[in-house]
Amino acid sequence: MNKVLICVCALVLGLAACGGEEKTENKAVEAKVVLPQPFKSMQKLMVRPGLDFHILNWGKGADTLGAVLVLRTDTLQQENTAYNLEIEGKFVEAFNTDMDTDGNPEILIYTTLNDSVKTPELYCLEYNNGEPNRIKFPALTSKTSKLYRGKDNFYLHEGKLRRAFDLYEDPNPKAKPTGKKLIEYSIRSNTFDITEIQEN
């Protein structure tokens, strides 16, 4: 099955490369890459020279359930592996980091559910010797959940994952935010650590 996935994705990557950058005499024209069905999008993450990940979002139907195919290419070790991950919601983007600084990359898959606040889902895969290990992303506390209305901003800061969003004390849907929360995530012993950042 793994070999079949790699062959299929080699074809996809080859077609994507054909739709890449075209040069004319006076200027370079960047053509839009059109992936064959059922693939929807592709994102490349470079961990270091020789070690790349291609994240392919695929599936048919509504953005409520789909999958991502994680292709790992290590030219130094001459290894090519594929891992398929079923996801909930719509794929937004992927991140590459090493939050526990152990030299093993973590691939973070960020999706949003199809609800009123676009609730985020985050999938973490830590690769050790080429094999992915799934690390569960923690939920918000019950206290924070009562003040939460989505619109998250996920980003990397000094190798750690940060999550920022507004807080609402008034239950009125038209109310303005009454505060902000900034959470920083790190990894220790294959578990997420959570730190609340006090903004100046």
Side-chain angles (χ1 to χ4, degrees), residues 112-133:
T112 55
L113 301 182
N114 189 22
D115 57 17
S116 59
V117 298
K118 297 190 180 299
T119 302
E121 291 285 335
L122 197 134
Y123 304 84
C124 177
L125 301 173
E126 182 175 38
Y127 276 77
N128 188 0
N129 294 323
E131 294 297 326
N133 174 46

Short mmCIF file of all heavy atoms in Angstrom, two decimals, residues 112-133:
data_model
loop_
_atom_site.label_atom_id
_atom_site.label_comp_id
_atom_site.label_asym_id
_atom_site.label_seq_id
_atom_site.Cartn_x
_atom_site.Cartn_y
_atom_site.Cartn_z
N THR A 112 -9.84 23.58 9.90
CA THR A 112 -10.96 24.23 10.59
C THR A 112 -12.25 23.48 10.30
O THR A 112 -12.50 23.07 9.16
CB THR A 112 -11.12 25.71 10.17
OG1 THR A 112 -11.24 25.78 8.74
CG2 THR A 112 -9.92 26.53 10.61
N LEU A 113 -13.07 23.33 11.34
CA LEU A 113 -14.36 22.66 11.18
C LEU A 113 -15.35 23.58 10.49
O LEU A 113 -15.21 24.81 10.52
CB LEU A 113 -14.90 22.23 12.55
CG LEU A 113 -14.02 21.27 13.36
CD1 LEU A 113 -14.72 20.89 14.66
CD2 LEU A 113 -13.67 20.03 12.56
N ASN A 114 -16.37 22.99 9.90
CA ASN A 114 -17.38 23.75 9.18
C ASN A 114 -18.51 24.14 10.14
O ASN A 114 -19.66 23.74 9.98
CB ASN A 114 -17.91 22.93 8.01
CG ASN A 114 -18.80 23.74 7.10
OD1 ASN A 114 -18.72 24.97 7.07
ND2 ASN A 114 -19.66 23.07 6.36
N ASP A 115 -18.16 24.96 11.17
CA ASP A 115 -19.17 25.43 12.11
C ASP A 115 -19.13 26.96 12.16
O ASP A 115 -18.40 27.60 11.40
CB ASP A 115 -18.96 24.83 13.50
CG ASP A 115 -17.57 25.10 14.07
OD1 ASP A 115 -16.88 26.01 13.56
OD2 ASP A 115 -17.16 24.41 15.01
N SER A 116 -19.92 27.55 13.04
CA SER A 116 -20.07 29.01 13.05
C SER A 116 -18.79 29.75 13.42
O SER A 116 -18.59 30.89 13.01
CB SER A 116 -21.18 29.42 14.03
OG SER A 116 -20.89 28.98 15.34
N VAL A 117 -17.89 29.13 14.19
CA VAL A 117 -16.66 29.82 14.61
C VAL A 117 -15.42 29.22 13.95
O VAL A 117 -14.30 29.61 14.27
CB VAL A 117 -16.51 29.77 16.15
CG1 VAL A 117 -17.65 30.48 16.83
CG2 VAL A 117 -16.39 28.33 16.65
N LYS A 118 -15.63 28.27 13.03
CA LYS A 118 -14.50 27.61 12.35
C LYS A 118 -13.50 27.07 13.37
O LYS A 118 -12.31 27.41 13.37
CB LYS A 118 -13.83 28.56 11.36
CG LYS A 118 -14.73 29.00 10.23
CD LYS A 118 -13.98 29.74 9.16
CE LYS A 118 -14.91 30.18 8.04
NZ LYS A 118 -15.55 29.02 7.37
N THR A 119 -14.01 26.21 14.25
CA THR A 119 -13.19 25.62 15.30
C THR A 119 -11.97 24.92 14.71
O THR A 119 -12.10 24.11 13.79
CB THR A 119 -14.01 24.60 16.11
OG1 THR A 119 -15.16 25.27 16.65
CG2 THR A 119 -13.19 24.01 17.23
N PRO A 120 -10.78 25.21 15.22
CA PRO A 120 -9.57 24.60 14.66
C PRO A 120 -9.33 23.18 15.18
O PRO A 120 -9.69 22.85 16.31
CB PRO A 120 -8.46 25.55 15.13
CG PRO A 120 -8.96 26.08 16.43
CD PRO A 120 -10.45 26.21 16.26
N GLU A 121 -8.76 22.38 14.32
CA GLU A 121 -8.24 21.07 14.70
C GLU A 121 -6.77 21.07 14.29
O GLU A 121 -6.41 21.56 13.22
CB GLU A 121 -8.98 19.95 13.98
CG GLU A 121 -10.43 19.76 14.40
CD GLU A 121 -10.56 19.09 15.74
OE1 GLU A 121 -9.62 18.36 16.15
OE2 GLU A 121 -11.59 19.28 16.40
N LEU A 122 -5.92 20.52 15.15
CA LEU A 122 -4.50 20.48 14.85
C LEU A 122 -3.98 19.06 15.05
O LEU A 122 -4.20 18.46 16.10
CB LEU A 122 -3.72 21.47 15.71
CG LEU A 122 -2.31 21.77 15.17
CD1 LEU A 122 -2.03 23.26 15.18
CD2 LEU A 122 -1.25 21.04 15.97
N TYR A 123 -3.32 18.53 14.02
CA TYR A 123 -2.78 17.18 14.05
C TYR A 123 -1.26 17.29 14.06
O TYR A 123 -0.68 18.01 13.24
CB TYR A 123 -3.24 16.38 12.84
CG TYR A 123 -4.74 16.33 12.68
CD1 TYR A 123 -5.44 17.36 12.05
CD2 TYR A 123 -5.47 15.25 13.16
CE1 TYR A 123 -6.81 17.32 11.91
CE2 TYR A 123 -6.85 15.19 13.02
CZ TYR A 123 -7.51 16.24 12.39
OH TYR A 123 -8.88 16.20 12.25
N CYS A 124 -0.63 16.60 14.99
CA CYS A 124 0.83 16.66 15.13
C CYS A 124 1.43 15.29 14.85
O CYS A 124 1.06 14.29 15.48
CB CYS A 124 1.20 17.14 16.53
SG CYS A 124 2.98 17.16 16.84
N LEU A 125 2.37 15.25 13.91
CA LEU A 125 3.11 14.04 13.59
C LEU A 125 4.59 14.29 13.86
O LEU A 125 5.20 15.14 13.21
CB LEU A 125 2.91 13.64 12.13
CG LEU A 125 1.48 13.36 11.66
CD1 LEU A 125 1.48 13.14 10.15
CD2 LEU A 125 0.90 12.16 12.38
N GLU A 126 5.17 13.58 14.82
CA GLU A 126 6.61 13.69 15.05
C GLU A 126 7.30 12.51 14.37
O GLU A 126 6.93 11.34 14.60
CB GLU A 126 6.95 13.70 16.54
CG GLU A 126 8.46 13.87 16.78
CD GLU A 126 8.83 14.00 18.23
OE1 GLU A 126 8.21 13.32 19.07
OE2 GLU A 126 9.74 14.78 18.54
N TYR A 127 8.28 12.81 13.53
CA TYR A 127 8.98 11.78 12.77
C TYR A 127 10.27 11.39 13.47
O TYR A 127 11.12 12.24 13.76
CB TYR A 127 9.28 12.27 11.36
CG TYR A 127 8.12 12.08 10.41
CD1 TYR A 127 7.03 12.94 10.43
CD2 TYR A 127 8.10 11.01 9.52
CE1 TYR A 127 5.95 12.74 9.58
CE2 TYR A 127 7.03 10.81 8.67
CZ TYR A 127 5.96 11.68 8.70
OH TYR A 127 4.90 11.49 7.86
N ASN A 128 10.39 10.09 13.75
CA ASN A 128 11.58 9.53 14.38
C ASN A 128 12.05 8.35 13.55
O ASN A 128 11.30 7.39 13.37
CB ASN A 128 11.27 9.09 15.82
CG ASN A 128 12.52 8.68 16.59
OD1 ASN A 128 13.63 8.71 16.04
ND2 ASN A 128 12.35 8.29 17.83
N ASN A 129 13.25 8.46 12.99
CA ASN A 129 13.79 7.44 12.09
C ASN A 129 12.85 7.18 10.92
O ASN A 129 12.67 6.05 10.48
CB ASN A 129 14.05 6.13 12.85
CG ASN A 129 15.14 6.26 13.88
OD1 ASN A 129 16.14 6.96 13.66
ND2 ASN A 129 14.97 5.62 15.02
N GLY A 130 12.22 8.25 10.45
CA GLY A 130 11.37 8.15 9.27
C GLY A 130 9.95 7.71 9.55
O GLY A 130 9.13 7.68 8.63
N GLU A 131 9.63 7.37 10.81
CA GLU A 131 8.29 6.89 11.14
C GLU A 131 7.53 7.95 11.92
O GLU A 131 8.06 8.54 12.88
CB GLU A 131 8.38 5.60 11.97
CG GLU A 131 8.97 4.42 11.22
CD GLU A 131 8.12 4.01 10.02
OE1 GLU A 131 6.88 4.12 10.12
OE2 GLU A 131 8.69 3.58 9.01
N PRO A 132 6.24 8.21 11.56
CA PRO A 132 5.46 9.23 12.26
C PRO A 132 4.84 8.72 13.55
O PRO A 132 4.36 7.58 13.62
CB PRO A 132 4.37 9.60 11.24
CG PRO A 132 4.18 8.33 10.46
CD PRO A 132 5.52 7.66 10.40
N ASN A 133 4.88 9.57 14.58
CA ASN A 133 4.22 9.28 15.85
C ASN A 133 3.21 10.39 16.11
O ASN A 133 3.56 11.57 16.14
CB ASN A 133 5.24 9.23 16.98
CG ASN A 133 4.58 9.09 18.35
OD1 ASN A 133 3.69 8.28 18.54
ND2 ASN A 133 5.01 9.91 19.30
#
